[in-house]
Amino acid sequence: MNSMNREVFGKVDAQALPKPILWRLMLPLSAIIFLMIALGGAIIYRQNKLLLDYRIRQNAERISAAFHAEVEDLAEGMNLALFSISSDPRVINAMINKDRETLFEDWHPVFQNMLNINSVNHFTFLDKDRVRLLRVHNPDQSSGIINRHTVLEAQRTGKPSWGIELEMGSREVPTLRCVFPVFHGRDLIGYVELGKDLENILNQVFKRTKSPLALLIDKQFVNREGWENTMRELGRDSNWERLSQNVIMYATDEVMPDRLINTVPQAKVKKNSSDLRLNTNGHRWHVSSLS
């Protein structure tokens, strides 16, 4: 009897043993581990996104700084050249007498040097009424009154003026222009102007930053016929309808606008943005827009 009782008691005691504690905690522990992995992944993703956004903004600021530095350095150099030209007695005498031939003979070789060395491709003399005396870079087209802002500002202040302008006409190219008044004593006798196409400046910025660049201009500021003629002259796409609101004045890579700019909603292109991302043709693009 005692033996049988011990056997029964032993069986009952084995069945009544509690399940291991670890087994009962397996489900909550698994949930906690999963949440920790998900949270860690989210933190890493967020940190990488913040780092990428920072680098995009930093790159945009670097491009903007390089562009402004290039423009300001070039404007300073052109103004120094214009100071020397406007002070030359030969220039003053020729402008008083409206002697186009002398101006061309004296300054065309100088212009060729500036063109070859610094890509300065505009050189113009104007009389006091802003009428062209001579376009050294294109002497056969040396007539007409100039109403560009830089010339008007030089006339208003009697001081040098410079800026980036788009002359609406037969050749639609954004150009950095510097204008210097020319005086004989205290009498204003005219102006002398140097200019460099913005494309040459953007090429230098591209070489420094290695970032693809495109320049868009709102169609309301562009003469369609002039723009189309200019694009054909430069061997570029002259399709006015390519974009709905803008035209492409410059692009470092002709493939880039087709892949990217056409895909970007125009409202977003016009805003300063560093948070526009899209994938096209297997390429991931991060777009910064500067205006």
Side-chain angles (χ1 to χ4, degrees), residues 150-166:
T150 49
V151 177
L152 293 173
E153 188 67 10
Q155 183 185 49
R156 184 184 69 84
T157 64
K159 297 178 180 179
S161 173
W162 66 273
I164 296 173
E165 297 176 318
L166 179 66

Side-chain angles (χ1 to χ4, degrees), residues 22-177:
L22 185 60
W23 178 259
R24 288 187 294 173
L25 294 178
M26 184 65 69
L27 183 61
L29 284 175
S30 298
I32 292 173
I33 292 172
F34 175 79
L35 288 175
M36 290 179 64
I37 293 173
L39 181 61
I43 293 174
I44 293 173
Y45 173 81
R46 177 63 177 171
Q47 291 297 325
N48 286 337
K49 184 177 183 299
L50 290 174
L51 179 60
L52 181 59
D53 288 344
Y54 170 75
R55 288 179 176 174
I56 293 172
R57 289 193 300 270
Q58 191 177 47
N59 191 52
E61 291 171 359
R62 184 168 60 94
I63 293 172
S64 179
F67 174 75
H68 286 96
E70 191 74 25
V71 168
E72 290 172 6
D73 288 348
L74 182 58
E76 182 179 355
M78 288 197 294
N79 279 326
L80 287 173
L82 287 171
F83 174 77
S84 177
I85 295 169
S86 66
S87 304
D88 193 310
R90 298 172 300 168
V91 170
I92 294 172
N93 185 63
M95 292 187 70
I96 290 173
N97 296 309
K98 298 188 177 181
D99 187 349
R100 298 177 67 252
E101 288 73 17
T102 298
L103 288 173
F104 184 79
E105 290 175 2
D106 288 345
W107 294 101
H108 187 260
V110 176
F111 167 69
Q112 288 297 325
N113 286 333
M114 290 190 292
L115 176 64
N116 295 332
I117 297 173
N118 297 311
S119 299
V120 174
N121 52 354
H122 298 265
F123 188 1
T124 306
F125 291 96
L126 312 173
D127 70 13
K128 64 179 181 180
D129 298 317
R130 308 191 316 278
V131 177
R132 288 193 188 107
L133 286 175
L134 174 67
R135 298 174 86 184
V136 181
H137 58 286
N138 192 355
D140 294 333
Q141 297 181 7
S142 294
S143 61
I145 298 176
I146 304 303
N147 294 313
R148 289 192 300 270
H149 174 75
T150 49
V151 177
L152 293 173
E153 188 67 10
Q155 183 185 49
R156 184 184 69 84
T157 64
K159 297 178 180 179
S161 173
W162 66 273
I164 296 173
E165 297 176 318
L166 179 66
E167 184 177 13
M168 297 182 69
S170 60
R171 191 171 187 270
E172 297 273 330
V173 177
T175 304
L176 172 63
R177 298 182 185 274

Side-chain angles (χ1 to χ4, degrees), residues 189-209:
I189 61 172
Y191 309 88
V192 60
E193 175 190 81
L194 291 176
K196 181 173 181 175
D197 288 351
L198 197 61
E199 176 173 344
N200 295 316
I201 299 171
L202 291 172
N203 283 335
Q204 293 301 316
V205 174
F206 173 63
K207 289 179 182 179
R208 291 172 62 178
T209 64

